[in-house]
Amino acid sequence: MSNLLNLLKCGARRDLRACRAVSHLFLRTITCSSTRHAGESETSSVLGKRWKDTADTVIIGGGCVGVSLAYHLAKSGMKDVVLLEKTELTAGSTWHAAGLTTYYHPGINLKKVHYDSIKLYETLEAETGQAVGFHNPGSVRIASTAARVDEMKYQMTRTHWHVTEQYFIGPEKVHELFPLLNMDKVLAGLYTPGDGHIDPYSLTMALAAGARMYGAQIYNPAPVTGLKSTPDGKWDVQTPHGTIRANRIVNTAGFWARELGQMIGFDHPTIPVHHQYVVTATVPEVKALKKELAVIRDLEASYYLRQERDGLLFGPYEKMEKMVLQDSWVREGVPPGFGKELFESDLDRIMEHVEMAMEMVPVLKNADIINIVSGPITYTPDLLPMVGPHQGVPNYWTAIGFGYGVIHAGGIGKFLSDWIKNGEPPYDLIECDPNRYGKWADIPFMCAKARESYGFNNVVGYPKEERFEGRPTKRTSGVYDLLKDKCSMGFHAGWEQPHWFYKPGDDTRYKPSFRRTNWFGPVGRECKLVMEKVGVVDLTPFGKFSVKGKDSHKLLDRLFANTMPKVGQTNISHMLTPTGKVYAEVTITQVAPGEFMLITGSGSELHDLRWIEAEVANGSYDVEINNVTDDIGVLGVAGPNSRTVLQKLTNEDMSDTGYKFLQCKTIELAVFLFKLLEFLTQMNCDTNPLEAGLDYFVKLNKPADFIGKAALKEIKAKGLKRKLSYLTVDTDDIDPEGNETIWLNDKVVGNTTSGAYSYSAQQSLAFGYLPIELTSVGQKVEVELLGRRYPAMVIQEPLVLTEPTRTRLQKKAKSQAKPAA
């Protein structure tokens, strides 16, 4: 046995052998004792259980995520739910997880996932009779730099309008929650009272018990040996015990997910990462405490630390140059038989974090180590999981790539269960859509980004953040080489796209900040150029689909709430869910009779294509759909001189009358200029188009029964409770960007959806949802930014006139100026 201080004095490798011996003994104890848990013996073999030849849903993988989905589907009343586990439940990443649970997440809707998980874990033992080992002493994220303090204020701004309790606290409260801290560097903390940890094994067994209780079948050992799609969109799931015909399959196979996907032609961008944590023996100072310590996350030192019985559990995230990827599994597959095994630990990689942890928590210096765990956890390139139906084949769903499977399991199980049962997601979670990656996400990219994401686990999370590893991908537009040295590039769905352009004297470094930073001036310069003259925007990353065929008009009339444009015309329309929420906003052009071009956002490319393809399959439409995103470059020309510039490059008539607003033409151009334009969205699966002020684009009186029409009629009849409003915000050196809390009289009344500084209006502006009674022009509210509330007021939009409005006003002025006859 050794302790952390001795490891530092003697060198990690010298004492590693003793630590490993204890580690292996400890792990054998876990493995042996696990067989004594109630509930597993009945699932250790399929012998004695009736094999189901058909199922509505087959879930493949028996970790905490897969078992949670089985539990939620069965509990919701869905029949014929089957879970297949290749060896035993929890094999893979679940059994060795540290089991942390937290309400905190910087993503707005991922907070909902965490919330649903913890609320389930609080009641699961009472519901199933299975102990889950849930502790909720709270957690504190420690700030020891000014940037961390800003980050916490930034996150608090996005929390007040959520149901989760979270508080920005001072050093005294931090010390009260974790009295063993050295407070020399502690400036503040972010305190989440309901946080804690849970035993992953017990959690999975309780979920399995609940799944069986509500009628789901769990088969193990039952490895999947083949997947075959049927002409009617179902699946034949092949195992050594027989084949199950399933209406849908869900891949929850953890670090085997990539191999499962390859059975049907997908190379899911998931990769195992070596994650280590250390467990100590009893620490006298911990044993003497009267209540359990809060979990702490020392962000600068990049580790988490919690109480484990009367000792401590310490888990660091190594820097990207030191951490280890198990990339051989990506290229060669997971070794046969690997399930509840571990990697060799390597304390040398984490000694920097050990030193900082001992400085922050001095009792660690003399703490004896009883276990070192080094196991595989699965990462995607951006660290977010891949959740939902997959584009390219029907009725194939994924819930994979969970770096934090325990805290996601409960909420994701509910999210997917609701989606499967109701035919639409319960809320917007597009950042976790499995279709955000395409073939451009190859193995070199995946490895580079996973390494970056692991190493960046606890870096300061700035707004408008860029990460540069693995770039550029194969997705570069025709102007990339021309522009790459002249501008700051952003990353959009694999594409490189100019964010802002340099001029001599500009500070060209990447300098993220919670306040206005070095790009503020150059972007203002570009806005002035476009508003007063002309600019060109590289919009190639936009998703582009060609739709043609006998039923093309019929299909699009069913999918979209607006009427279809005439030949040579363009309009904006929205795909709605059955309950009337906005699934996607798309620009539609009818380029020839029955032939349409659809353009959607870069991050929505395959997300939207999957929805369209699903409707084609459901309605048996005679259409041809081609994804031409990579085949067509897009340039936008903007500004009052745009027609003049284009006229010099083509023989086509580019005047107001010759080329009208929302008209489409095929023209030949000779030369191009380039600039940046940023797009913001106010609508998604969390809202409906009436709330978002999109009434103009929704034709409730059109003959076609478009998806969501009945729901919108009902919503309109009942009346709206909130509405998207346009706000001016009186700020100083900080601007809104979206998801900030809106206050009135010390009460939370809404949230912003987007915001920015308007160089034309010379002030900060924001869109935000407010109760109907607070949407009148002139209504005053407050918008919270970095812990301070700034005055805001509802105004009549827009402050900048669009081209149709300018043209209309010009015509009106001319007619009024004509002398009377």
Side-chain angles (χ1 to χ4, degrees):
M1 186 175 291
S2 183
N3 61 47
L4 292 177
L5 186 58
N6 284 336
L7 289 178
L8 281 179
K9 289 179 178 177
C10 302
R13 294 197 178 278
R14 183 176 299 179
D15 292 297
L16 195 53
R17 183 177 302 172
C19 295
R20 283 174 180 158
V22 176
S23 173
H24 294 160
L25 174 63
F26 183 85
L27 294 173
R28 285 199 299 273
T29 303
I30 291 179
T31 304
C32 293
S33 65
S34 69
T35 60
R36 297 194 292 270
H37 280 265
E40 187 177 347
S41 60
E42 67 181 277
T43 63
S44 62
S45 171
V46 298
L47 295 178
K49 298 182 72 173
R50 175 179 171 270
W51 181 258
K52 292 177 65 68
D53 294 324
T54 61
D56 181 67
T57 302
V58 169
I59 302 162
I60 305 170
C64 56
V65 174
V67 178
S68 173
L69 177 56
Y71 161 84
H72 280 95
L73 283 173
K75 186 175 182 179
S76 73
M78 293 197 71
K79 306 298 182 185
D80 297 327
V81 176
V82 172
L83 184 143
L84 302 176
E85 163 54 41
K86 68 180 299 181
T87 56
E88 56 182 309
L89 298 183
T90 76
S93 297
T94 298
W95 76 276
H96 62 75
L100 298 179
T101 58
T102 177
Y103 284 110
Y104 175 87
H105 197 282
I108 296 302
N109 279 353
L110 274 164
K111 292 181 192 291
K112 295 181 181 179
V113 173
H114 288 210
Y115 179 86
D116 287 343
S117 289
I118 291 178
K119 290 306 176 187
L120 170 64
Y121 301 164
E122 289 175 344
T123 62
L124 193 59
E125 182 174 337
E127 180 184 3
T128 64
Q130 292 270 116
V132 297
F134 184 48
H135 298 244
N136 57 347
S139 78
V140 181
R141 301 173 69 84
I142 295 173
S144 53
T145 67
R148 289 292 183 189
V149 173
D150 276 352
E151 181 184 28
M152 291 179 179
K153 291 179 179 179
Y154 176 83
Q155 290 302 331
M156 283 303 302
T157 294
R158 285 151 176 76
T159 296
H160 292 299
W161 59 281
H162 273 263
V163 294
T164 301
E165 270 192 284
Q166 184 173 288
Y167 303 98
F168 180 74
I169 60 175
E172 288 186 3
K173 181 64 176 178
V174 173
H175 192 250
E176 177 188 327
L177 292 164
F178 204 103
L180 304 181
L181 284 177
N182 172 2
M183 300 299 294
D184 290 350
K185 295 182 180 180
V186 177
L187 300 177
L190 200 63
Y191 172 45
T192 315
D195 286 5
H197 54 95
I198 196 168
D199 174 33
Y201 185 94
S202 299
L203 167 65
T204 306
M205 291 302 137
L207 289 167
R212 296 188 199 97
M213 184 170 71
Y214 293 115
Q217 293 289 331
I218 298 177
Y219 294 127
N220 68 295
V224 172
T225 57
L227 295 171
K228 183 179 180 181
S229 61
T230 64
D232 58 354
K234 297 183 179 182
W235 289 93
D236 283 339
V237 184
Q238 300 165 351
T239 80
H241 308 284
T243 297
I244 304 177
R245 174 67 58 88
N247 292 338
R248 74 183 59 80
I249 56 175
V250 187
N251 183 345
T252 63
F255 54 69
W256 291 280
R258 185 174 172 88
E259 293 177 38
L260 194 70
Q262 286 172 339
M263 292 182 182
I264 54 177
F266 291 120
D267 286 318
H268 297 311
T270 61
I271 185 170
V273 171
H274 290 225
H275 179 63
Q276 301 186 98
Y277 64 82
V278 175
V279 182
T280 77
T282 295
V283 176
E285 294 88 345
V286 174
K287 187 174 183 179
L289 295 170
K290 294 182 179 180
K291 64 177 183 178
E292 185 175 356
L293 291 166
V295 179
I296 63 166
R297 291 173 175 83
D298 184 351
L299 304 174
E300 297 308 313
S302 191
Y303 66 84
Y304 55 83
L305 187 145
R306 69 167 176 84
Q307 186 171 335
E308 173 66 12
R309 295 191 175 98
D310 291 330
L312 296 169
L313 185 153
F314 159 77
Y317 293 97
E318 302 118 86
K319 293 181 179 178
M320 58 187 295
E321 62 271 15
K322 289 186 176 182
M323 57 83 66
V324 176
L325 298 174
Q326 195 63 31
D327 52 345
S328 64
W329 291 10
V330 173
R331 295 178 172 87
E332 303 161 17
V334 182
F338 193 99
K340 285 194 170 181
E341 288 72 35
L342 292 171
F343 301 128
E344 284 291 305
S345 53
D346 181 0
L347 288 177
D348 282 342
R349 296 208 319 263
I350 66 172
M351 292 315 294
E352 178 183 357
H353 306 276
V354 170
E355 286 189 66
M356 290 187 284
M358 289 192 303
E359 182 180 356
M360 184 65 77
V361 186
V363 297
L364 278 173
K365 294 178 181 178
N366 297 313
D368 291 324
I369 302 171
I370 62 169
N371 186 32
I372 305 168
V373 175
S374 179
I377 56 175
T378 309
Y379 266 46
T380 62
D382 62 8
L383 188 50
L384 294 176
M386 300 173 65
V387 178
H390 206 287
Q391 187 270 333
V393 292
N395 299 315
Y396 172 63
W397 297 59
T398 66
I400 60 178
F402 289 91
Y404 310 104
V406 171
I407 185 53
H408 284 151
I412 288 296
K414 184 178 187 303
F415 176 83
L416 280 180
S417 174
D418 289 348
W419 192 345
I420 288 170
K421 185 175 181 180
N422 301 324
E424 63 178 275
Y427 49 87
D428 194 83
L429 207 59
I430 194 171
E431 63 266 45
C432 295
D433 190 87
N435 307 294
R436 67 187 185 274
Y437 296 112
K439 293 181 179 179
W440 52 268
D442 56 17
I443 290 177
F445 172 82
M446 175 177 62
C447 291
K449 298 305 285 188
R451 181 177 293 279
E452 178 185 54
S453 293
Y454 187 87
F456 278 35
N457 250 294
N458 289 316
V459 299
V460 176
Y462 288 104
K464 301 178 178 65
E465 183 181 57
E466 286 293 326
R467 294 187 178 180
F468 299 98
E469 294 299 316
R471 296 169 52 183
T473 72
K474 296 175 182 178
R475 272 190 153 179
T476 54
S477 72
V479 297
Y480 171 73
D481 287 334
L482 176 65
L483 302 178
K484 64 181 180 180
D485 297 324
K486 302 177 182 178
C487 65
S488 175
M489 286 283 183
F491 187 75
H492 302 270
W495 296 94
E496 298 290 324
Q497 185 179 36
H499 272 184
W500 60 277
F501 285 86
Y502 311 142
K503 274 195 168 185
D506 287 343
D507 182 351
T508 62
R509 293 172 294 172
Y510 172 64
K511 297 176 67 176
S513 173
F514 294 101
R515 296 171 173 81
R516 294 171 186 166
T517 185
N518 58 321
W519 49 258
F520 184 79
V523 171
R525 179 177 67 214
E526 294 172 14
C527 287
K528 180 178 174 65
L529 177 68
V530 173
M531 293 303 297
E532 296 179 359
K533 297 180 181 179
V534 65
V536 180
V537 192
D538 182 8
L539 301 177
T540 302
F542 275 68
K544 301 170 280 287
F545 317 130
S546 169
V547 180
K548 57 185 176 181
K550 181 167 69 77
D551 292 336
S552 59
H553 200 291
K554 180 181 176 183
L555 167 68
L556 298 182
D557 241 350
R558 169 66 177 161
L559 280 169
F560 290 94
N562 205 346
T563 54
M564 289 303 101
K566 297 177 182 179
V567 176
Q569 298 292 317
T570 297
N571 73 14
I572 296 172
S573 192
H574 301 84
M575 290 192 290
L576 308 181
T577 70
T579 60
K581 296 176 181 177
V582 178
Y583 188 82
E585 181 179 83
V586 178
T587 299
I588 304 175
T589 301
Q590 189 168 185
V591 295
E595 182 177 346
F596 296 85
M597 177 65 72
L598 278 55
I599 299 179
T600 189
S602 57
S604 304
E605 177 192 342
L606 300 182
H607 169 272
D608 294 358
L609 182 59
R610 186 208 63 81
W611 185 269
I612 295 169
E613 290 174 340
E615 180 59 28
V616 171
N618 292 336
S620 300
Y621 293 91
D622 182 4
V623 293
E624 178 185 337
I625 300 176
N626 291 302
N627 183 1
V628 295
T629 301
D630 290 355
D631 303 328
I632 301 175
V634 180
L635 299 172
V637 185
N641 294 342
S642 56
R643 291 180 182 274
T644 303
V645 170
L646 287 172
Q647 189 64 78
K648 294 179 179 180
L649 307 177
T650 181
N651 293 325
E652 289 287 335
D653 183 359
M654 302 301 296
S655 66
D656 290 346
T657 55
Y659 199 164
K660 296 181 179 179
F661 184 63
L662 294 178
Q663 188 175 358
C664 171
K665 281 187 177 183
T666 300
I667 62 176
E668 292 185 4
L669 299 177
V671 69
F672 304 97
L673 303 171
F674 306 93
K675 223 203 65 63
L676 164 72
L677 184 66
E678 181 178 3
F679 289 84
L680 300 172
T681 59
Q682 324 302 330
M683 68 295 291
N684 50 39
C685 281
D686 297 331
T687 188
N688 65 66
L690 304 183
E691 292 177 330
L694 302 173
D695 316 45
Y696 177 81
F697 304 105
V698 176
K699 301 299 188 285
L700 289 173
N701 59 349
K702 80 172 188 177
D705 184 22
F706 62 84
I707 298 171
K709 183 177 183 179
L712 281 189
K713 284 186 173 181
E714 184 177 347
I715 291 170
K716 186 174 183 180
K718 289 181 178 179
L720 299 178
K721 294 182 179 180
R722 65 172 190 165
K723 190 83 173 180
L724 189 69
S725 300
Y726 199 37
L727 304 169
T728 57
V729 187
D730 297 333
T731 66
D732 37 45
D733 66 339
I734 181 173
D735 302 301
E737 65 170 39
N739 296 316
E740 294 94 359
T741 302
I742 303 176
W743 297 80
L744 179 64
N745 298 328
D746 287 329
K747 292 183 179 180
V748 176
V749 293
N751 64 280
T752 64
T753 59
S754 65
Y757 181 82
S758 169
Y759 293 92
S760 298
Q762 291 290 294
Q763 66 180 124
S764 289
L765 303 174
F767 280 102
Y769 280 107
L770 289 170
I772 284 292
E773 63 271 18
L774 299 181
T775 58
S776 300
V777 173
Q779 173 69 52
K780 294 183 178 180
V781 292
E782 294 176 309
V783 173
E784 182 182 349
L785 302 171
L786 285 187
R788 177 181 166 188
R789 300 177 196 174
Y790 290 86
M793 186 174 69
V794 177
I795 62 171
Q796 184 71 45
E797 55 153 323
L799 293 180
V800 178
L801 301 180
T802 60
E803 183 183 41
T805 304
R806 291 198 305 270
T807 302
R808 186 172 63 251
L809 292 176
Q810 289 170 358
K811 289 181 178 179
K812 183 178 180 180
K814 287 181 180 179
S815 64
Q816 291 176 343
K818 289 181 179 179

